[in-house]
Amino acid sequence: MEKIMFHPEGEEPVEFYVLEQTRIGGVDYILVTDVEEGDGEALIMKDISGDGEEEGVFTIVSDDEELAAVAGMFENMLEDVEFENA
């Protein structure tokens, strides 16, 4: 499973495992988790990088409608993934 490192501003770097990725309406989304196997915390993040940027800039999807739509897409893509409302 691919691991990626995030560098939140003013915080220590955090590693996540990428479960899946998709593109919806021209926007790239990734589903990440904090554990390689088993039940863990999952986040849906979207790429907000500008064109031509070398490194991706991701933010956690927080809009309820956008989150529900993208979560539904990931649930369809991955048979063993089910999202619960936090």
Side-chain angles (χ1 to χ4, degrees), residues 18-33:
V18 178
L19 296 172
E20 189 61 79
Q21 58 188 11
T22 190
R23 186 173 184 87
I24 303 170
V27 178
D28 292 318
Y29 293 90
I30 57 173
L31 174 62
V32 298
T33 185

Side-chain angles (χ1 to χ4, degrees), residues 1 3-4 11 15 17 25 27 29 32-34 39 43-45 47-48 55-56 58-60 64 70 78 82:
M1 186 177 313
K3 277 198 303 190
I4 57 174
E11 297 180 31
E15 276 187 342
Y17 297 92
V27 178
Y29 293 90
V32 298
T33 185
D34 58 348
D39 293 337
L43 298 170
I44 296 176
M45 306 183 86
D47 187 350
I48 59 168
E55 292 188 11
F58 287 84
T59 187
I60 297 171
D64 290 340
V70 178
L78 299 166
E82 183 176 318

